[in-house]
Amino acid sequence: MNKLRMGVLGCSRHYSLRIAAPLASSLLVEPYGIASRNLEAAKNYAKKWGFEKSYGSYEELLADPNIDFVFCPLPNNLHLEYIKKSADAGKPILCEKPLGMNAKEAAEAAEYCKKKGVLLMEAFMYRFHPQWIRAAEIVKSGELGTVMTTAGIFSYDNKDPKNIRNIPETGGGGLLDIGCYTVSSARLLMQSEPVQVVSTIKCDPVFKTDIYSSALLDFGDGRVSTFTVSTQLFPWQRVRAVGTGGTLAVEVPFNMYGDYPGRIHVSTGVGQRTIETEIADQYLLQFDAFALAVADKHTEAPTPISDAIANMAVLDALFASAKSGTWERVTRY
């Protein structure tokens, strides 16, 4: 197939830091257009990162008939607006996580795109890495028995007041930015949805965003997941699952290197082993998978949009629990 021409909304540091290099080797995706509200910024970004076209507005990019699909790394509070505008333009859209500011927005985005006949996917790149595909296979095989608990931690240290992660109006804070990963991975390893959750949250006194969050997710029948995320802590990430027949730990679960093999540590009654998965770039795998779905005119994205809504519903319940100080039920959409 010919490469699909991708348009990117916003001169994103995330794109330049993590996505530009791996996409240069894609046989399926061509970084074609970059849009900014500042045309000069878009032109400079295009020259540096190899985009053929630059635009002085997001709407101008969406109006270009040469754009085959859109990548949206805009701040969280703009996701719903530009998902809808992309759908209005008939452009399939790969949107950075989380899909919206809450589950209601995520569900609204999904329904809007469905009515327009436009493919929508949340950009959870970690799901495409071979280490997570293998981890899910191990869980599904029953090698760990029944997974009874998972534990996750994901943290970084960012005290920049100008960073969107520290601005509540743009959807900043640890739970939306990285708590979405710890919730998603817990749901994946548990192979089910939590019934209720309880959480504690500490907010920065100046930023007003959540900077320390810990949670307990109740999956029923004694099965629970725990996690801690922070935006002002030593950078660290780990995920472990413990079942009735063994344990599994993913060494670098989320920000996995593109030039290093994944490592999963498994312990069962037979013994202990470390599984090394092939070197792969999870961003390249994600974009290529989405491009194939677009080219083949699939109606369902490689990561179903229902998963994005379910994940957001858990995050909503966690925010509600921190406010109420008690358990909160997870709403089903």
Side-chain angles (χ1 to χ4, degrees):
M1 61 175 269
N2 294 327
K3 287 186 177 183
L4 296 189
R5 289 162 296 198
M6 176 183 66
V8 178
L9 301 178
C11 298
S12 162
R13 184 174 181 272
H14 169 61
Y15 179 90
S16 61
L17 183 65
R18 302 180 181 91
I19 301 171
L23 269 195
S25 63
S26 175
L27 301 178
L28 304 176
V29 178
E30 176 190 347
Y32 176 80
I34 180 72
S36 171
R37 290 169 174 172
N38 181 316
L39 180 57
E40 194 62 29
K43 287 180 177 179
N44 291 336
Y45 197 94
K47 183 177 180 180
K48 185 172 183 178
W49 299 110
F51 290 89
E52 182 176 330
K53 296 288 293 293
S54 53
Y55 313 83
S57 73
Y58 306 143
E59 287 74 15
E60 187 181 352
L61 181 149
L62 294 175
D64 188 337
N66 291 320
I67 298 290
D68 294 311
F69 77 91
V70 171
F71 174 54
C72 176
L74 294 172
N76 298 333
N77 64 314
L78 296 178
H79 286 183
L80 178 60
E81 177 184 353
Y82 282 95
I83 287 171
K84 286 184 173 182
K85 287 184 176 181
S86 297
D88 287 341
K91 311 289 190 190
I93 184 163
L94 176 62
C95 183
E96 266 303 332
K97 51 77 210 161
L99 201 62
M101 296 285 278
N102 50 53
K104 183 181 178 181
E105 284 196 2
E108 185 178 341
E111 183 62 25
Y112 196 88
C113 288
K114 182 179 179 181
K115 287 181 178 178
K116 293 286 184 176
V118 169
L119 195 64
L120 170 65
M121 188 174 91
E122 184 179 37
F124 258 133
M125 76 297 175
Y126 87 96
R127 288 280 187 96
F128 294 87
H129 198 283
Q131 66 177 356
W132 275 103
I133 293 172
R134 182 68 185 118
E137 288 173 349
I138 291 171
V139 170
K140 290 176 182 177
S141 74
E143 184 179 352
L144 304 183
T146 300
V147 176
M148 296 300 297
T149 186
T150 71
I153 184 165
F154 196 3
S155 60
Y156 58 78
D157 192 8
N158 182 339
K159 300 183 181 72
D160 179 4
K162 296 181 180 179
N163 191 285
I164 59 172
R165 292 161 187 80
N166 294 320
I167 302 173
E169 293 78 16
T170 62
L175 264 182
L176 288 182
D177 189 40
I178 52 180
C180 58
Y181 287 101
T182 50
V183 169
S184 175
S185 57
R187 293 172 48 247
L188 178 64
L189 292 170
M190 286 293 203
Q191 297 286 292
S192 61
E193 299 294 336
V195 179
Q196 59 180 350
V197 302
V198 67
S199 68
T200 63
I201 291 177
K202 178 182 178 180
C203 291
D204 186 280
V206 177
F207 302 150
K208 307 303 180 185
T209 53
D210 55 288
I211 57 173
Y212 298 108
S213 301
S214 293
L216 180 67
L217 281 54
D218 176 14
F219 287 82
D221 296 324
R223 304 174 69 229
V224 298
S225 290
T226 62
F227 71 78
T228 294
V229 295
S230 176
T231 62
Q232 294 187 18
L233 201 62
F234 178 78
W236 191 249
Q237 52 185 284
R238 288 290 187 276
V239 169
R240 178 179 293 277
V242 182
T244 56
T247 70
L248 175 154
V250 183
E251 199 170 276
V252 185
F254 307 122
N255 294 136
M256 186 54 192
Y257 316 107
D259 57 358
Y260 193 78
R263 286 203 175 105
I264 308 168
H265 304 285
V266 180
S267 297
T268 67
V270 177
Q272 300 180 358
R273 72 187 190 278
T274 296
I275 301 169
E276 284 198 356
T277 61
E278 65 265 34
I279 294 173
D281 190 283
Q282 56 194 0
Y283 289 101
L284 175 61
L285 293 173
Q286 172 187 251
F287 277 84
D288 280 355
F290 185 72
L292 280 173
V294 171
D296 293 342
K297 301 186 185 304
H298 289 176
T299 56
E300 186 70 77
T303 301
I305 204 64
S306 57
D307 186 82
I309 300 169
N311 209 62
M312 197 73 238
V314 179
L315 294 171
D316 285 355
L318 291 170
F319 281 117
S321 173
K323 187 175 182 179
S324 70
T326 188
W327 288 92
E328 294 285 346
R329 304 286 293 185
V330 178
T331 302
R332 301 287 177 238
Y333 284 80

